[in-house]
Amino acid sequence: MSPLRVSCLTLLAMIAFAGNSLLCRMALRHTTIDPASFTSVRLASGAAVLYLLARTRTSSARGQGSWKSAVALLIYAAGFSFAYVNLPAATGALLLFGAVQISMISHGLWRGERLRAMQWLGLLLAAAGVIGLLLPGLTAPPLQASLLMIGAGVAWGVYSLRGRGAGDPTRVTAGNFARAVPIALLCSLLQWRSASVDPAGLAYALASGALASGIGYAIWYAVLPGLKATTAATVQLSVPALAAMGGILFLGEPFGFRLLVASVAILGGIVLVIVQRQR
């Protein structure tokens, strides 16, 4: 794969990941679909697309997913949806990304990984950014929604760690999505009294699952072999920025000083950890 093609596909994957935040926020803000139904439709459409993509692959690597990973995936997807009822797109994406990275770094520490002084500084800076964003104030995001998004990020971190060495990423992801669907549908049935689906909300959920999730993940897995580890990690820093731009352009959301400072602290701190780790 040529460098230009790798760059274009990488950008497309990052836009897809940021698009998940925008599509979910649009659906829950501008339509009547409820978070549980959005989650079920997203997972079901994502599972269908990933199944079709996995069937077309000729890779010798195998993989089928697991129920534990499916539960982690469902916790992420549900927390993501319920949090975006009240969170702006940029704030949600930043909290999600920060929680994912901090949880994965913390797992490395628990497993015995040793951090250098600059890495500790980066980790503390990122954690301070998350705490500063949540401190009470006029511009603070809703605490309950923020905690839901942080929980979703931790669940995605667990999901990512469980996926290491599990086999072909597309097949594994397809298997996990397929396993998560019946659990999500059961959760939706338990909340049938508050269920609501309209055509616009259904379209957003389908786009989030089929395009931003299914095809987005497939593109990302396709370009990963062409990226260095540090590049693959740092390029994901663009997702909160893309979500913020989309929130401003398409949703008319503000980007205040508190969010700017928190973004610099969280993303800058994670950069320090990643770069120093590679060295």
Side-chain angles (χ1 to χ4, degrees):
M1 192 180 296
S2 68
L4 178 60
R5 188 179 180 189
V6 168
S7 299
C8 292
L9 289 177
T10 300
L11 176 60
L12 190 59
M14 296 305 102
I15 292 174
F17 294 160
N20 262 325
S21 293
L22 297 174
L23 290 166
C24 186
R25 180 61 175 156
M26 286 183 206
L28 297 173
R29 179 178 175 181
H30 297 302
T31 78
T32 62
I33 192 170
D34 65 285
S37 297
F38 183 94
T39 301
S40 296
V41 175
R42 178 191 175 188
L43 290 174
S45 56
V49 169
L50 285 165
Y51 172 78
L52 293 175
L53 292 173
R55 288 292 300 268
T56 63
R57 290 181 61 81
T58 57
S59 172
S60 59
R62 298 297 177 185
Q64 57 183 3
S66 69
W67 284 104
K68 289 182 179 179
S69 293
V71 170
L73 174 63
L74 175 64
I75 293 173
Y76 148 73
F80 183 92
S81 299
F82 279 90
Y84 265 132
V85 172
N86 295 309
L87 279 183
T91 303
L94 183 62
L95 287 172
L96 177 73
F97 180 82
V100 170
Q101 296 298 324
I102 291 174
S103 63
M104 294 182 73
I105 293 168
S106 299
H107 176 267
L109 290 173
W110 181 71
R111 292 292 300 271
E113 182 177 337
R114 295 292 179 263
L115 298 185
R116 304 181 183 189
M118 290 300 293
Q119 289 179 297
W120 277 112
L121 176 62
L123 181 59
L124 293 174
L125 186 62
V130 173
I131 294 171
L133 183 61
L134 300 181
L135 287 176
L138 293 176
T139 58
L143 182 60
Q144 184 177 3
S146 299
L147 294 178
L148 277 172
M149 189 62 82
I150 290 173
V154 173
W156 185 257
V158 171
Y159 179 81
S160 300
L161 290 167
R162 286 189 54 82
R164 290 178 175 176
D168 179 78
T170 302
R171 290 194 174 102
V172 170
T173 306
N176 290 331
F177 265 71
R179 286 173 173 81
V181 170
I183 311 175
L185 291 174
L186 177 61
C187 293
S188 293
L189 286 175
L190 294 175
Q191 300 188 44
W192 66 270
R193 292 182 183 275
S194 59
S196 175
V197 178
D198 64 329
L202 181 62
Y204 284 132
L206 287 171
S208 176
L211 300 177
S213 296
I215 294 179
Y217 295 151
I219 293 173
W220 178 239
Y221 296 143
V223 299
L224 268 180
L227 297 173
K228 293 181 179 179
T230 306
T231 304
T234 54
V235 74
Q236 295 177 67
L237 295 170
S238 64
V239 174
L242 290 170
M245 291 172 57
I248 294 169
L249 293 174
F250 302 115
L251 296 169
E253 295 178 347
F255 192 87
F257 181 72
R258 180 198 284 250
L259 184 58
L260 175 62
V261 173
S263 300
V264 172
I266 294 171
L267 302 182
I270 293 169
V271 166
L272 282 176
V273 175
I274 292 172
V275 172
Q276 291 295 318
R277 174 181 289 172
Q278 183 66 14
R279 289 179 179 174

